[in-house]
């Protein structure tokens, strides 16, 4: 645990990539394989499920430190990180001793799920008695399912590649799919030969696009680029191997069970192929709103009526494996040609090839992009002809050219402390629109302001508080912000009856008095016009 | 308890009607009594200043030499109708608690204080009183400082590790008090030390007061510390072109605020050392108890929390508004000290000089 804690703190403290990789290399060179296996598991984003709720942990810590619950609560608001708060509050360990990471996970963490509350508390308190304050921080992060580290997966792969002497793309691939976090599993990941058994459901690392930073003309000739719609669904890989099919989402979650009709359709694909594409709710010739697709998420079983209400389509746009062979190094056009031939024989209501937009000039393409909202897509994807399928978010070959967001001018009415780096600063705001003489909350937003602006708003909040509700402050409705968002939908859960998609602060409208902010009626009109456009496009 | 208040909060600051003086006033007054020389407490423009004798030299740098007179720790002087004396508060060189006695009633204004060891100033001496006005900057139990020896070992280790990678160590610290404490505490055998001008201007006063500080160079000698030295600079130097002269650097901040990781990460620093010149949670409680005061008035920082806690323990505790409206976030205090670090405090004696919403932190 000491070594892993050191790694955690080093990664947390370093702001340079080269330092992060050096810390990782140092760790994996020294750590026993059984520990390294768990470390790698956690670093690659598969954190353990929450074993103890944060609230409970805070209560136990209050008791252990002999502090009133209200005082502990205030500490939490100040720190903005529950695991850290508890680590700062606890008294020094009674019987400190070094524990190995694998030991902590296997004997202190995993067994918690099978224990009742008093037994769990006893085990946690026993562990507190042995770990020092720093190791406790990491332990609490693991306990509460909040373990996160500011280190990109490709850096972990790069470090392991250095330790193992294996290309990092190979490591990245081995890290996806299922592997057992023990010494043997770890040694397989870093093995120089491919002797380890391949997991039939293992996906490839997704290639990700950056937003187009400037005008498309800056990319060079239009002819160098393939253009497609940017679909608004769930990015996924459909994997057909060893007589079975699996679906992995971009979050690297196995989502096979949530989309049974796509798994059925995949049975018609030949063995040894992997498609990259988008899961969409689809009706007729157009996607349905993302909100419909959302109804299908997070379910263990999908009832038949929901399958009928929200029909699905897998819109494929790339081919990563064919006849059991990795295709990623082949040029985009060659991969697409094979993919097109393959999909020509499939059920078009379930599996489809994402069409390309073949107008010849950037201007014509820009005109097509303007229709994106009516077509229910997010904009355009631009992919360089001839490019390989790269790992991760690599700049240069893939760009997303999204439609310009919609905007509304809203008044800030509540503020709340942020978390992590923004702990102790009022950075999370609630915005409202006018409904007659009243302001009705419409969205929360956290992002979009500069550091200086955040500091300024923070001071405003402190000086203009009307009332405090725990960590939330109601402020005088004085500041107006332009919110950008990607869509608006009906939401019975919200007081306003509407919910915005991806709201963020586009700019601070210092020029606008609050009385001139937008109205709820205006937003309702926008929703109606979007629905009308969607309906027309859908029936056209 | 006696009805009449010995100290009241006014536009100018804490006012002692019976004594005819203000304590740490933020506007010009006839007679100012200073707890210490940080810019948020010592503002220029008043006609006369009285402070603890070891603090006269540093206070004079802040408010102008002519007007400052000193009184030894423990020595009593009669001002108006009251007796006034200074008692060490352990915050920095010459910092003091102000004891005021009037017809058998004793009030003590703590100024800022700490309980841990510090070789650059006299250690805090709790003073028995009826009413204690206490700071509460770090009044939350998450603030429990590690022993300074441990923190200095960490600073030394960070410096050595940077040296091994040929990086210059840049440690941000408040220019008055903290920077000198660090100079006295680090292992000067590791490598050369360089100080920013804002730090350097206070060194003669510290040396004259008998503080053993290692040899340092100024920024004109940057080449001699590049890749191996330790640079002490005020936080306002973060991100400034002044740092370019040191080549590849590793940055850290020495402050109680660094106890919470978010504060360090927000500033994009490589390291944070929770080395504070304020009392931690245990220190505050220990000192408040040692005064024997039944009535405690709280200022700064986390005052509402400490007020509630003290009431639960049976104290007659209350908030005292002295102009720091920072809701316990402490950013205002940091900024005030940034000002101190910059020596920019000299400009803040205007009518609007009260520190309520200072400028944002340097990135």
């Amino acid at each position: 645990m000491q070594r892993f804690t050191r790694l955690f703190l080093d990664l947390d403290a370093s702001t340079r990539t080269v330092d992060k990789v050096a810390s990782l290399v140092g760790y994996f060179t020294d750590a026993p394989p059984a520990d390294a296996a768990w470390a790698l598991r956690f670093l690659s984003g598969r954190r353990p499920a929450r074993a103890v709720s944060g609230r409970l942990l805070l209560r136990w810590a209050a008791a252990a430190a002999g502090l009133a619950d209200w005082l502990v609560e205030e500490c939490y608001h100040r720190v903005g990180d529950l695991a850290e708060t508890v680590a700062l509050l606890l008294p020094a360990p009674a019987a400190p001793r070094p524990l190995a990471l694998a030991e902590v996970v296997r004997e202190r963490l995993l067994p918690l799920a099978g224990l009742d509350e008093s037994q769990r508390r006893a085990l946690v308190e026993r562990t507190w008695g042995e770990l020092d304050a720093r190791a406790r921080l990491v332990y609490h992060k693991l306990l509460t399912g909040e373990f996160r580290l500011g280190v990109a997966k490709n850096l972990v792969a790069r470090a392991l590649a250095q330790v193992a002497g294996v290309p990092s793309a190979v490591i990245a691939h081995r890290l996806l799919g299922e592997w057992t976090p023990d010494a043997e599993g770890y040694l397989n990941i870093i093995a120089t030969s491919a002797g380890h058994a391949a997991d039939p459901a293992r996906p490839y690392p997704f290639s990700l696009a950056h937003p187009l930073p400037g005008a498309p003309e800056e990319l060079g000739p239009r002819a160098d680029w393939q253009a497609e719609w940017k679909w608004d669904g769930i990015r996924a890989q459909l994997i057909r191997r060893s007589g079975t099919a699996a679906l992995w989402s971009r979050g690297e979650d196995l989502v096979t069970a949530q989309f049974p009709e796509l798994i059925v359709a995949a049975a018609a694909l030949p063995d040894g192929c992997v498609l990259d594409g988008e899961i969409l709710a689809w009706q007729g010739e157009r996607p349905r709103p993302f909100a419909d697709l959302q109804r299908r998420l997070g379910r263990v079983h999908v009832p038949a009526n929901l399958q009928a209400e929200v029909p699905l389509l897998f819109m494929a746009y790339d081919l990563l494996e064919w006849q059991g062979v990795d295709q990623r190094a082949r040029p985009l056009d060659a991969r697409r040609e094979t993919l097109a031939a393959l999909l020509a024989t499939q059920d078009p209501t379930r599996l489809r090839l994402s069409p390309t937009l073949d107008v010849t000039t950037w201007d014509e393409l820009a005109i097509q992009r303007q229709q994106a909202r009516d077509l229910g897509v997010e904009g355009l994807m631009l992919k360089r002809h001839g490019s390989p399928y790269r790992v991760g978010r690599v700049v240069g070959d893939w760009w997303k050219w999204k439609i310009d967001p919609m905007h509304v001018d809203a008044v800030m009415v509540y503020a709340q402390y942020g978390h992590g780096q923004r702990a102790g600063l009022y950075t999370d705001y609630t915005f409202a629109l006018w409904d007659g003489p009243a302001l009705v909350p419409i969205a929360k937003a956290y992002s979009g302001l500069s550091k200086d602006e955040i500091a300024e708003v923070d001071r405003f909040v402190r000086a203009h508080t009307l009332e405090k509700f725990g960590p939330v402050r109601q402020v005088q409705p004085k500041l107006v912000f332009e919110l950008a968002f990607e869509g608006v939908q009906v939401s019975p859960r919200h007081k306003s009856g509407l919910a915005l998609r991806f709201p963020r602060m586009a700019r601070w409208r210092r020029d606008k008095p609050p009385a001139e902010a937008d109205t709820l009626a205006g937003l309702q009109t926008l929703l109606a016009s979007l629905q009308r456009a969607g309906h027309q496009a859908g029936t056209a | 308890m006696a009805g009449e208040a010995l100290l009241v909060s006014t536009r100018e600051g804490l006012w002692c009607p019976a004594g005819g003086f203000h304590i740490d006033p933020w506007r010009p007054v006839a007679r100012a009594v200073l707890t210490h020389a940080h810019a948020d407490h010592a503002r220029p423009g008043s006609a006369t200043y009285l402070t603890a004798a070891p603090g006269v030299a540093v206070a004079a740098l802040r408010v102008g030499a002519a007007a400052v007179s000193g009184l030894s720790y423990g020595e009593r002087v009669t001002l108006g109708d009251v007796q006034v004396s200074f008692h060490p508060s352990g915050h920095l060189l010459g910092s003091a608690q102000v004891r005021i006695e009037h017809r058998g009633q004793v009030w003590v204004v703590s100024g800022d204080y700490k309980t841990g060891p510090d070789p650059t100033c006299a250690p805090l001496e709790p003073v028995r009183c009826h009413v204690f006005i206490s700071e509460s900057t770090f009044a939350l139990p998450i603030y429990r400082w590690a022993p300074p020896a441990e923190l200095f070992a960490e600073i030394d280790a960070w410096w050595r590790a940077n040296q091994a990678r040929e990086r210059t160590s840049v440690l941000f610290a408040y220019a008055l008090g903290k920077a000198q404490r660090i100079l006295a505490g680090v292992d000067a055998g590791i490598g050369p030390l360089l100080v920013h001008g804002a730090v350097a201007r206070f060194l003669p006063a510290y040396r004259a007061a008998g503080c053993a500080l290692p040899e340092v160079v100024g920024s004109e000698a940057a080449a001699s510390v590049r890749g191996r030295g330790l640079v002490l600079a005020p936080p306002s130097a973060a991100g400034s072109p002044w740092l370019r002269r040191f080549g590849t650097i590793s940055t850290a901040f020495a402050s109680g605020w660094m106890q919470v990781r978010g504060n360090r990460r927000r500033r994009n620093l490589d390291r944070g050392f929770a080395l504070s010149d304020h009392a931690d949670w245990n220190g505050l409680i220990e000192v408040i108890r040692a005064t024997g005061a039944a009535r405690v008035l709280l200022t700064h920082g986390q005052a509402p929390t400490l007020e509630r806690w003290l009431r639960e323990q049976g104290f007659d505790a209350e908030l005292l508004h002295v102009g720091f409206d920072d809701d316990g976030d402490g950013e205002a205090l940091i900024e005030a000290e940034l000002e101190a670090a910059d020596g920019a405090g000299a400009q803040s004696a205007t009518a609007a000089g009260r520190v309520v919403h200072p400028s944002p932190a340097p990135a």
Side-chain angles (χ1 to χ4, degrees):
Chain A
M1 199 74 187
Q2 257 75 3
R3 194 184 274 115
F4 184 61
T5 301
R6 188 73 258 155
L7 173 68
F8 178 91
L9 295 173
D10 282 350
L11 290 175
D12 183 57
S14 57
T15 47
R16 294 180 184 84
T17 300
V18 37
D19 292 351
K20 287 184 196 280
V21 173
S23 302
L24 288 163
V25 168
Y27 176 82
F28 286 111
T29 305
D30 295 343
D35 286 354
W38 284 110
L40 183 54
R41 187 83 166 177
F42 301 148
L43 287 169
S44 50
R46 297 211 212 157
R47 51 178 189 264
R50 187 173 78 183
V52 174
S53 81
R55 290 279 132 209
L56 212 49
L57 198 64
L58 213 51
R59 278 230 309 274
W60 296 346
L67 297 169
D69 285 343
W70 69 265
L71 187 52
V72 167
E73 196 65 30
E74 286 208 15
C75 290
Y76 174 42
H77 289 309
R78 172 56 33 139
V79 178
D81 179 317
L82 200 137
E84 188 178 349
T85 309
V86 174
L88 288 171
L89 287 175
L90 288 172
R97 73 179 187 93
L99 288 169
L101 174 63
E103 189 183 353
V104 170
V105 177
R106 281 200 311 262
E107 293 169 22
R108 307 300 173 88
L109 209 57
L110 300 180
L112 288 169
L115 302 178
D116 67 28
E117 191 178 313
S118 67
Q119 290 169 323
R120 274 188 289 157
R121 181 171 180 169
L123 187 55
V124 168
E125 285 175 345
R126 185 177 150 213
T127 313
W128 279 344
E130 295 169 349
L131 296 178
D132 66 33
R134 286 175 175 171
R136 281 171 183 167
L137 169 67
V138 178
Y139 168 63
H140 298 151
K141 296 248 164 214
L142 294 171
L143 266 184
T144 52
E146 295 288 323
F147 187 89
R148 263 182 221 98
L149 260 180
V151 51
K153 285 180 198 174
N154 64 359
L155 290 191
V156 178
R158 206 205 289 181
L160 271 181
Q162 212 171 311
V163 173
V166 174
S168 69
V170 172
I171 297 278
H173 189 198
R174 287 177 186 171
L175 282 177
L176 297 171
E178 286 305 325
W179 58 279
T180 312
D182 56 17
E184 193 192 344
Y186 172 73
L187 293 172
N188 276 338
I189 298 271
I190 60 164
T192 40
S193 68
H196 64 292
D199 165 22
R202 176 182 294 159
Y204 291 91
F206 284 86
S207 179
L208 305 173
H210 276 278
L212 190 64
E217 289 80 7
E218 291 165 24
L219 296 178
R222 165 75 185 91
D224 290 354
W225 296 85
Q226 171 184 305
E228 302 164 50
W229 294 120
K230 185 179 185 316
W231 302 102
D232 185 15
I234 296 167
R235 178 84 182 274
Q237 282 178 39
L238 184 53
I239 296 163
R240 172 88 176 121
R241 288 189 196 120
S242 310
T244 64
L247 264 174
W248 281 85
S249 75
R250 211 212 93 184
E252 280 151 20
D253 291 319
L254 193 57
V255 292
T256 309
Q258 295 175 41
F259 306 105
E261 54 269 63
L262 296 181
I263 299 302
V264 169
L269 292 169
D271 222 53
C273 84
V274 176
L275 312 184
D276 183 11
E278 199 97 358
I279 301 169
L280 298 169
W282 190 268
Q283 196 152 35
E285 285 305 309
R286 61 174 276 120
R288 304 209 339 189
F290 187 80
D292 285 357
L293 186 58
Q294 264 175 330
R295 296 173 56 203
R296 302 267 323 236
L297 303 182
R299 293 171 182 273
V300 182
H301 298 292
V302 187
N305 62 333
L306 192 57
Q307 286 193 34
E309 275 173 42
V310 185
L312 294 181
L313 177 80
F314 187 82
M315 185 67 82
Y317 36 71
D318 218 320
L319 182 68
L320 308 188
E321 185 176 307
W322 178 239
Q323 296 176 338
V325 179
D326 186 346
Q327 302 289 301
R328 293 176 297 164
R330 294 178 69 204
L332 173 64
D333 315 79
R335 299 197 307 272
R336 188 175 167 89
E337 201 181 313
T338 315
L339 179 64
L342 166 65
L343 291 175
T345 64
Q346 301 296 315
D347 173 5
T349 66
R350 293 293 183 218
L351 294 175
R352 230 180 244 214
L353 178 66
S354 173
T356 55
L357 304 172
D358 297 326
V359 293
T360 52
T361 67
W362 288 120
D363 285 347
E364 288 169 296
L365 197 58
I367 291 167
Q368 291 210 306
R369 172 172 163 268
Q370 285 168 10
Q371 303 165 18
R373 188 160 283 137
D374 290 346
L375 295 173
V377 297
E378 288 188 299
L380 298 175
M381 283 296 304
L382 303 174
K383 298 175 184 171
R384 192 190 296 277
H385 284 303
S387 60
Y389 187 94
R390 298 187 189 276
V391 173
R393 207 179 288 279
V394 178
V395 178
D397 286 343
W398 282 28
W399 300 101
K400 47 187 176 191
W401 187 19
K402 296 197 5 175
I403 30 184
D404 299 327
M406 294 176 259
H407 292 97
V408 68
D409 290 332
V411 186
M412 184 173 115
V413 288
Y414 297 102
Q416 196 172 350
Y417 276 148
H419 288 84
Q421 292 195 35
R422 307 162 118 206
L425 272 183
Y426 287 100
T427 57
D428 299 2
Y429 316 125
T430 302
F431 297 95
L433 296 178
W434 292 106
D435 184 15
L439 281 166
V440 183
I442 181 70
K444 278 189 172 188
Y446 322 93
S447 62
L449 294 187
S450 70
K451 268 189 180 178
D452 289 348
E453 285 172 328
I454 287 175
E456 201 179 334
V457 175
D458 179 74
R459 288 192 297 275
F460 168 86
V461 170
R462 292 169 200 282
H464 297 86
T465 299
L466 294 173
E467 217 176 328
K468 297 183 190 180
F469 310 93
V472 180
R473 287 179 173 221
Q474 183 180 15
V475 297
Q476 292 173 21
K478 286 193 167 184
L479 303 189
V480 178
F481 291 83
E482 180 179 312
L483 301 183
F485 56 98
E486 301 301 324
V488 54
Q489 55 203 41
V490 175
S491 167
R493 288 195 303 136
H494 292 83
K495 201 170 167 187
S496 64
L498 298 177
L500 302 185
R501 186 123 194 262
F502 299 138
R504 67 269 184 194
M505 287 165 272
R507 68 196 159 113
W508 185 346
R509 294 294 306 260
R510 296 173 193 264
D511 55 319
K512 264 206 175 180
E516 288 175 27
D518 288 322
T519 62
L520 189 61
L523 198 60
Q524 282 157 344
T525 309
L526 173 66
L527 173 68
S529 74
L530 287 172
Q531 285 172 331
R532 216 162 35 242
H535 182 70
Q536 283 161 0
T539 51
Chain B
M1 205 202 83
E4 118 196 64
L6 262 184
L7 288 164
V8 291
S9 197
T10 68
R11 268 160 47 101
E12 287 75 26
L14 270 185
W15 160 245
C16 178
F21 59 87
H22 289 82
I23 296 182
D24 296 348
W26 50 76
R27 296 176 190 217
V29 297
R31 171 173 269 165
V33 171
L34 299 182
T35 61
H36 64 285
H38 274 150
D40 53 333
H41 292 259
R43 296 173 179 279
S46 292
T48 64
Y49 294 87
L50 181 64
T51 193
V56 169
V58 282
L61 286 171
R62 194 69 83 192
V63 301
V68 187
S69 52
L71 191 66
S72 300
Y73 284 133
E75 190 185 332
R76 292 193 184 185
V77 67
T78 303
L79 296 180
D81 219 7
V82 305
Q83 290 213 299
V84 172
S85 56
F86 293 100
H87 305 267
S89 79
H91 183 55
L92 57 86
L93 178 63
S95 71
Q97 308 169 75
V98 181
R99 180 184 184 278
I100 303 166
E101 184 171 348
H102 179 63
R103 294 180 193 158
Q105 276 294 308
V106 178
W107 288 43
V108 169
V109 178
S110 77
D112 293 339
Y113 62 95
K114 73 167 174 286
T115 53
D118 178 349
T120 65
C121 66
L124 172 134
E125 289 171 14
V127 182
R128 303 286 297 179
C129 57
H130 300 100
V131 179
F132 185 51
I133 300 179
S134 176
E135 65 134 321
S136 43
T137 309
F138 288 110
L140 275 179
I142 51 170
Y143 299 113
R144 287 174 303 158
W145 312 138
E150 253 175 54
L151 292 166
F152 280 113
E154 281 182 26
I155 293 172
D156 289 342
W158 165 73
W159 183 6
R160 282 199 185 89
N162 290 333
Q163 221 174 37
R165 291 168 157 186
E166 298 185 353
R167 285 175 190 170
T168 314
S169 304
V170 176
L171 182 52
F172 300 113
Y174 306 139
L176 170 58
K178 187 70 63 65
Q180 291 75 23
R181 185 181 176 199
I182 291 169
L183 282 176
V186 293
D187 179 358
I190 297 173
L193 290 156
L194 182 147
V195 297
H196 186 278
V199 175
R201 67 191 278 248
F202 295 110
L203 295 184
Y206 269 75
R207 291 207 159 98
C211 282
L213 298 179
E215 282 309 306
V216 299
V217 296
S219 52
E220 68 286 348
S224 68
V225 304
R226 205 173 291 147
R228 60 197 195 97
L230 176 66
V231 174
L232 284 176
S236 57
S240 75
W242 185 80
L243 291 175
R244 285 192 206 132
R245 65 195 74 205
F246 301 112
T248 309
I249 59 174
S250 177
T251 57
F253 187 17
S255 160
W257 302 109
M258 296 297 104
Q259 180 83 340
V260 171
R261 290 185 314 148
N263 284 334
R264 169 179 61 72
R265 293 156 77 191
R266 191 157 74 225
R267 289 179 171 75
N268 214 12
L269 296 159
D270 295 317
R271 293 292 295 272
F273 301 105
L275 181 74
S276 180
D277 284 335
H278 291 271
D280 64 4
W281 171 256
N282 292 335
L284 289 167
I285 291 170
E286 179 195 320
V287 170
I288 288 169
R289 289 212 158 113
T291 63
R295 183 164 161 75
V296 183
L297 303 177
L298 300 162
T299 67
H300 290 40
Q302 209 64 39
T305 309
L306 191 54
E307 179 200 27
R308 181 170 171 186
W309 189 87
L310 286 170
R311 281 168 176 262
E312 286 185 358
Q313 313 303 311
F315 284 88
D316 174 15
E318 209 174 299
L319 302 186
L320 179 67
H321 294 283
V322 292
F324 291 92
D325 177 26
D326 67 347
D327 182 48
D329 182 78
E331 289 293 311
L333 193 71
I334 289 186
E335 301 315 329
E337 300 214 17
L338 288 184
E339 266 192 304
D342 283 338
Q347 279 100 58
S348 337
T350 58
R354 117 181 218 219
V355 181
V356 177
H357 298 309
S359 57

